[in-house]
Amino acid sequence: MAARRVLDKWVMLQHGHLWDPSNATPTGGGETMTGVLHHAVIPFLRHLLPRSNVHIDPERLVALRPEERVIPVLERWLKPGIFERFIDALLEILVENGALARPLAWVTTPSLLRWRLKDDDDLWERAGASAMAVLEGAKSLPGKPPPPDVLVLGHTHVMDWAVQDGRPGVQRLYVNLGTWSARATDAAGPMDAAMPLLRIDADSRQLRAELFDCARRWRPLQRFEVDR
């Protein structure tokens, strides 16, 4: 976390993983899932025999956000039967690495995994709701820093911008930069190559925040101005 005083405003910057239960602690499962993808799933796909009329791109999984979407993507890529065996092997690896209790692995099915994925897909909305509650003063940031006037997060892989209107003449800003890398969300669609950049500056009278997409010739996306 970083805190910066700009004029009479507090600007808070956090990565955002503390707001995500699967990544808030070393035992939350997120770190294990990343390791399993890179050291088990991707090597498995590289050694898999080609499937007719289906292009399998193992490197696409690196850009997949959220990572848990590997399940529906591989359901598109793998032959019936192989997919079910893959799920069994994946669950066993997660159990062996402490990311999943064995009794849960016994009852986990692809349908249950897809239901869990919906909750992961909603992470950006839940992060936004929590951030707005912080700006409203109804919730505290982890670590209890000063109440922010501008709150900047990442981690959710989805850009977000929201203005909180307080008492008359007072506005506060929430920005989520998503992720600074190309992103995929499905098995075959185009990659999202947006590269967000947030610029915050001020003069003696006003604080300004501007959001740009560097990948598209610095195309402006949003602008926020507030007087001191």
Side-chain angles (χ1 to χ4, degrees):
M1 178 180 67
R4 298 290 184 269
R5 185 78 168 176
V6 182
L7 299 178
D8 59 339
K9 314 295 182 187
W10 278 105
V11 178
M12 297 293 171
L13 304 99
Q14 286 192 337
H15 177 257
H17 67 282
L18 293 176
W19 303 50
D20 177 8
S22 66
N23 286 278
T25 65
T27 58
E31 183 177 348
T32 300
M33 186 64 181
T34 299
V36 169
L37 279 179
H38 286 271
H39 299 293
V41 178
I42 291 176
F44 160 71
L45 292 176
R46 286 173 177 163
H47 287 84
L48 198 65
L49 291 175
R51 182 182 176 189
S52 61
N53 298 316
V54 177
H55 174 63
I56 296 176
D57 180 8
E59 314 309 321
R60 186 179 183 86
L61 297 190
V62 177
L64 202 59
R65 297 294 184 271
E67 291 176 331
E68 290 82 0
R69 293 207 62 79
V70 65
I71 304 302
V73 167
L74 290 183
E75 192 170 15
R76 292 288 184 269
W77 286 352
L78 301 180
K79 293 180 180 179
I82 293 180
F83 174 72
E84 284 73 18
R85 286 157 55 194
F86 164 81
I87 291 294
D88 290 341
L90 176 64
L91 294 175
E92 183 62 27
I93 291 174
L94 293 176
V95 168
E96 290 296 324
N97 284 274
L100 182 68
R102 189 169 295 280
L104 286 177
W106 293 337
V107 298
T108 298
T109 64
S111 296
L112 184 60
L113 287 171
R114 280 190 289 270
W115 175 81
R116 169 66 188 272
L117 286 173
K118 183 180 184 303
D119 188 53
D120 289 310
D121 284 344
D122 290 343
L123 175 61
W124 74 276
E125 296 181 55
R126 289 185 280 115
S130 296
M132 294 300 282
V134 169
L135 296 180
E136 292 166 1
K139 188 173 183 177
S140 297
L141 282 170
K144 296 185 178 179
D149 298 283
V150 178
L151 176 58
V152 184
L153 300 179
H155 181 68
T156 65
H157 312 294
V158 177
M159 277 190 284
D160 200 4
W161 178 284
V163 174
Q164 187 268 330
D165 290 291
R167 64 181 186 276
V170 176
Q171 288 187 318
R172 298 179 178 88
L173 175 65
Y174 162 62
V175 182
N176 198 303
L177 296 177
T179 184
W180 241 56
S181 63
R183 295 171 297 287
T185 59
D186 52 33
M191 302 278 275
D192 179 2
M195 186 170 290
L197 176 73
L198 179 67
R199 182 173 67 193
I200 298 175
D201 63 4
D203 55 29
S204 60
R205 299 180 298 104
Q206 191 179 67
L207 177 145
R208 293 175 295 275
E210 296 177 275
L211 184 63
F212 300 91
D213 181 0
C214 300
R216 293 177 175 84
R217 299 183 178 181
W218 295 82
R219 181 168 67 94
L221 301 175
Q222 295 283 355
R223 182 179 176 88
F224 176 82
E225 298 177 344
V226 62
D227 295 331
R228 65 179 307 170

